[in-house]
Amino acid sequence: MTDTTTKPKKKKKWFKRPPKSDKPKEQPVESSTPTVTADSSTATTKVTPAKKKKRPAKAQPVPVPEPGGEKIKIIPLGGLKEIGKNLTLVEYKNEILIIDCGLSFPDDEMLGIDIVIPDMTYLVKNQEKIRGVVITHGHEDHIGAIPYLLKQINVPIYGPRLALGLLEVKFKEHRLNNVRMQRIKGDETFQLGVFKIEPIRTTHSIPDAFAIAVHTDIGTILHTGDFKIDYTPVDGQVMDLHKFADLGEQGVLLMLADSTNVERPGATISEQNVRKSLENAFMNCKSRIIVATFSSNIHRLQIIINTAQKFNRKVVINGRSMLNVFAVASELGVMNVPEGLVIDLRDMDEYRDDQLVLLTTGSQGEPMAALSRMSSGEHRKLDIQAGDLVIFSASPIPGNEKTVSRVINQLFEKGANVIYDSLAEVHTSGHACQEELKLMHNLVRPKYFIPVHGEYRHLKQHANLAMSLGMPEENVFTMQNGQVLEFDEAEGKITGKVQAGPILVDGLGVGDVGSIVLRDRKHLAEDGLMVVVVTMDRSEAKVVAGPDIISRGFVYVRESEDLMEEARIVVQKSLDQMEQRGVKEWAQLKNGIRDGLKDFLYHKTQRRPMILPIIMEV
């Protein structure tokens, strides 16, 4: 037997002290478990043993590029000065890494638009440099635009199991086959070209959420993804704060951090607070309970499932997106749904009202969502009954306040009791507030910082928070989508801009609706349309029949016959004047009709409808 008291070299490696030195040796960034190396062309994996990680004696200096050496670029194509549409590029040594590729939802000005995705022109032009897409988590604002990317570029996708499961459903809808996907885990690193990727487990409103550390020979770039610090998460997977501290000791060149809740002081409340509030609501209710929440908020869905089981209620799921998420999460084992607890909508009549919970979409007042149709009486199978308890387990996204308020008012009018965020703790955010952000900054201690994921006021407030913690102002970059931040020698600076912006998706059309079409839609929505039809002899440019005037969305014709007749006379006078001047070009004739009628209608009604002249040739 070896005498360990005389041979200290046989002590366990993790117990051995680091050598004393004025300049401690740099420690390699290594995982405590096997390393996965993925080839971007085949997405195959090779497992090799990795050394156990040593914690350095003190913080290591952040390495900087040598003068004249390679430069590392950060290019956000989405997620800045907006909520959603998150897409960030890391470019180094002629290789590109994509972090997230999400969508956003249209605002009130984008009439008829379904979703908004980032402009991917730069990616298409540089597709041979792309090594892969790494996903932080499975929310739509981080994965929703991936099918549109894959329709233009064939790149491998690396993400958590839940995000990949949700993407598989999307790929079937978009008829995308043979997509290369690889699961990432919080205890494995992998190589993508010149980038060494280290996922770090975080807590968010969806399971399998990660921050992404990108290691290069210049330095480490940390992207926090969406996160909050919840010490009592629903799934028991606590955020790996130790790894963030380790990164801070090793040295982080740049951090990009979530800014969504930077305006809120304190810390985000735990999901366990929501659980208690929901249990109190269930305990005192003797009628049906209808809970509206985000279909992607799986932790909240699990709490509702557990609470329903505790109070002996069956669960009915209503809404296609909710059904899809339940199917994927249950299949992957991310959610625990007891057998027999969830019943079909058609079997509701077999149970008393006090034995039912309806889980539904529509927490944002979306017109076509199940709850909105129930509140307006347009749902084919479900109606709101007097005494129903409706719980909005979500807060309105900025811009949705009016639509949510309208639905709540309709529910009250139908005799329902409604609980929403301002009345009880039935919702909590998935994003870090000020104290959690301060902790992240103090753990990581990056040299440079970019606030991301927020409107401009959020980015500015996060930049101010970083500077209040001692970061030099010149090391904080409040950027815009498309700007290129470049690190060279010992400094970082914005050196240019690439094409970036919103691409509007309307039905099957991607990018075919632009500002001019939206302007026309807004014009039609606000002032209506008048169509002027004239039949003319082409050779002599003389009116053969008409003018006839058709109004849509401007005035009710049957009650405005005098106005319509006066408008017809105005058009006729304009045509007579142009005939006397010898005007024969169709374009000039249409402009003359439009100008004469526009002035007349504004003088009579103070409105400016869209005027569409149509000349029929005989």
Side-chain angles (χ1 to χ4, degrees):
M1 179 179 291
T2 304
D3 186 357
T4 56
T5 60
T6 59
K7 295 183 179 182
K9 291 183 179 180
K10 294 293 184 178
K11 290 182 180 180
K12 291 184 179 180
K13 189 174 182 180
W14 58 266
F15 187 73
K16 187 176 179 181
R17 296 179 180 274
K20 294 182 179 180
S21 172
D22 294 335
K23 292 184 180 180
K25 295 180 181 180
E26 289 190 9
Q27 301 295 330
V29 181
E30 293 170 335
S31 172
S32 58
T33 57
T35 299
V36 178
T37 303
D39 183 83
S40 62
S41 60
T42 60
T44 58
T45 61
K46 179 175 69 176
V47 179
T48 57
K51 296 179 181 179
K52 290 187 177 180
K53 178 170 54 181
K54 285 198 236 177
R55 188 163 178 155
K58 61 182 180 178
Q60 301 295 310
V62 175
V64 295
E66 294 296 329
E70 293 284 351
K71 301 174 183 179
I72 191 164
K73 300 176 182 177
I74 304 297
I75 309 174
L77 296 181
L80 302 186
K81 298 177 68 175
E82 61 187 350
I83 300 294
K85 200 159 65 65
N86 301 296
L87 196 166
T88 304
L89 310 183
V90 182
E91 187 169 345
Y92 181 53
K93 289 186 176 179
N94 217 33
E95 296 186 9
I96 293 176
L97 172 71
I98 302 173
I99 300 177
D100 289 331
C101 185
L103 56 78
S104 62
F105 295 100
D107 57 34
D108 293 338
E109 299 293 316
M110 298 179 180
L111 301 172
I113 300 303
D114 298 323
I115 60 172
V116 185
I117 62 175
D119 189 327
M120 302 177 189
T121 303
Y122 183 79
L123 293 175
V124 174
K125 289 180 179 179
N126 296 275
Q127 55 186 293
E128 70 284 349
K129 300 180 182 179
I130 300 173
R131 296 297 169 258
V133 181
V134 179
I135 302 167
T136 58
H137 64 282
H139 278 156
E140 286 291 303
D141 56 334
H142 293 260
I143 68 171
I146 289 179
Y148 299 94
L149 173 67
L150 293 178
K151 288 177 182 179
Q152 302 179 75
I153 309 170
N154 183 18
V155 294
I157 310 296
Y158 301 85
R161 59 175 176 171
L162 179 57
L164 297 183
L166 296 172
L167 277 173
E168 284 184 354
V169 176
K170 290 181 174 294
F171 294 156
K172 290 177 182 177
E173 293 175 353
H174 287 263
R175 299 180 181 179
L176 290 169
N177 301 314
N178 302 318
V179 178
R180 293 171 289 164
M181 294 193 291
Q182 176 67 45
R183 178 184 172 185
I184 65 174
K185 300 179 182 180
D187 55 358
E188 293 180 348
T189 61
F190 59 98
Q191 198 77 27
L192 280 182
V194 297
F195 307 106
K196 185 177 182 180
I197 312 300
E198 182 181 10
I200 306 173
R201 187 174 64 246
T202 60
T203 46
H204 189 39
S205 56
I206 188 172
D208 281 352
F210 292 96
I212 302 297
V214 182
H215 301 286
T216 71
D217 50 18
I218 284 182
T220 297
I221 298 165
L222 175 66
H223 194 304
T224 67
D226 289 352
F227 78 98
K228 66 176 180 179
I229 301 177
D230 192 341
Y231 300 103
T232 55
V234 175
D235 59 2
Q237 297 293 313
V238 182
M239 185 170 178
D240 197 343
L241 295 174
H242 297 288
K243 278 195 177 180
F244 289 102
D246 285 346
L247 284 177
E249 290 185 349
Q250 294 162 8
V252 173
L253 180 66
L254 169 70
M255 181 172 74
L256 301 90
D258 177 17
S259 308
T260 307
N261 269 358
V262 69
E263 294 177 321
R264 297 186 182 183
T268 308
I269 66 172
S270 171
E271 284 286 344
Q272 299 301 334
N273 295 51
V274 177
R275 177 183 60 80
K276 294 176 184 177
S277 297
L278 288 174
E279 286 183 356
N280 289 335
F282 275 56
M283 184 185 303
N284 300 318
C285 183
K286 303 300 181 184
S287 60
R288 291 192 310 178
I289 298 176
I290 302 170
V291 185
T293 189
F294 295 108
S295 60
S296 59
N297 193 340
I298 292 178
H299 288 326
R300 189 71 44 77
L301 299 180
Q302 184 68 66
I303 288 175
I304 296 166
I305 288 290
N306 296 344
T307 307
Q309 183 185 28
K310 181 176 181 178
F311 290 93
N312 298 315
R313 287 178 179 259
K314 298 294 183 182
V315 177
V316 178
I317 302 170
N318 189 28
R320 186 173 64 90
S321 60
M322 190 81 75
L323 287 167
N324 287 339
V325 169
F326 257 87
V328 172
S330 301
E331 182 181 346
L332 295 175
V334 176
M335 282 184 65
N336 178 27
V337 182
E339 187 175 352
L341 184 70
V342 177
I343 63 172
D344 192 271
L345 182 64
R346 294 169 293 187
D347 299 330
M348 285 181 58
D349 294 339
E350 300 177 10
Y351 298 89
R352 301 191 311 270
D353 287 351
D354 62 353
Q355 295 177 315
L356 294 172
V357 175
L358 276 71
L359 255 177
T360 182
T361 55
S363 63
Q364 298 303 305
E366 308 96 311
M368 298 307 295
L371 185 62
S372 298
R373 289 185 285 125
M374 290 164 63
S375 67
S376 61
E378 297 175 358
H379 200 287
R380 291 180 297 174
K381 298 179 180 179
L382 291 171
D383 288 315
I384 297 296
Q385 301 173 5
D388 281 347
L389 175 62
V390 182
I391 302 174
F392 277 78
S393 190
S395 59
I397 294 173
N400 291 350
E401 293 87 354
K402 288 185 178 180
T403 55
V404 173
S405 178
R406 183 182 67 248
V407 172
I408 291 175
N409 286 327
Q410 290 174 338
L411 291 169
F412 274 122
E413 288 174 3
K414 287 184 172 293
N417 299 310
V418 187
I419 298 176
Y420 41 95
D421 196 24
S422 58
L423 298 181
E425 287 186 343
V426 290
H427 176 65
T428 182
S429 175
H431 301 271
C433 294
Q434 289 178 7
E435 296 306 313
E436 297 155 278
L437 294 172
K438 290 178 183 177
L439 177 58
M440 179 62 73
H441 280 268
N442 285 323
L443 287 175
V444 176
R445 305 192 304 279
K447 181 174 183 180
Y448 300 105
F449 172 60
I450 303 175
V452 295
H453 300 181
E455 297 174 1
Y456 188 75
R457 72 176 195 270
H458 301 127
L459 306 182
K460 194 65 179 176
Q461 291 293 348
H462 202 171
N464 292 339
L465 183 144
M467 289 184 283
S468 73
L469 296 173
M471 180 168 283
E473 183 177 358
E474 62 271 17
N475 289 6
V476 180
F477 298 91
T478 306
M479 298 177 65
Q480 299 182 21
N481 291 332
Q483 285 187 324
V484 180
L485 177 62
E486 199 169 279
F487 294 96
D488 187 4
E489 301 180 3
E491 66 174 354
K493 58 184 178 181
I494 295 174
T495 58
K497 192 168 186 179
V498 303
Q499 183 171 331
I503 298 297
L504 310 182
V505 179
D506 185 0
L508 297 177
V510 180
D512 58 349
V513 175
S515 58
I516 295 175
V517 175
L518 286 180
R519 183 194 64 194
D520 288 346
R521 289 182 180 182
K522 188 170 184 254
H523 192 176
L524 287 168
E526 292 176 347
D527 298 308
L529 170 72
M530 288 195 76
V531 181
V532 181
V533 182
V534 181
T535 304
M536 302 188 72
D537 186 314
R538 175 66 179 177
S539 59
E540 299 182 6
K542 291 186 177 180
V543 176
V544 177
D548 297 318
I549 298 179
I550 303 167
S551 172
R552 291 291 182 271
F554 173 57
V555 292
Y556 185 47
V557 175
R558 292 185 180 179
E559 296 179 357
S560 307
E561 292 180 354
D562 292 343
L563 177 65
M564 300 302 286
E565 179 59 26
E566 289 181 52
R568 195 188 69 79
I569 294 171
V570 168
V571 173
Q572 185 64 62
K573 287 182 178 179
S574 297
L575 289 169
D576 292 342
Q577 292 172 1
M578 287 185 285
E579 183 180 354
Q580 292 173 6
R581 298 200 308 267
V583 177
K584 296 185 178 181
E585 291 294 328
W586 263 208
Q588 295 182 39
L589 290 169
K590 288 181 180 181
N591 287 335
I593 294 171
R594 189 182 291 111
D595 293 342
L597 188 56
K598 177 178 66 175
D599 294 341
F600 166 76
L601 292 175
Y602 185 76
H603 176 72
K604 283 286 187 178
T605 66
Q606 296 294 300
R607 284 181 276 174
R608 299 185 187 276
M610 179 179 288
I611 299 171
L612 183 62
I614 298 175
I615 299 177
M616 302 179 66
E617 180 183 346
V618 295

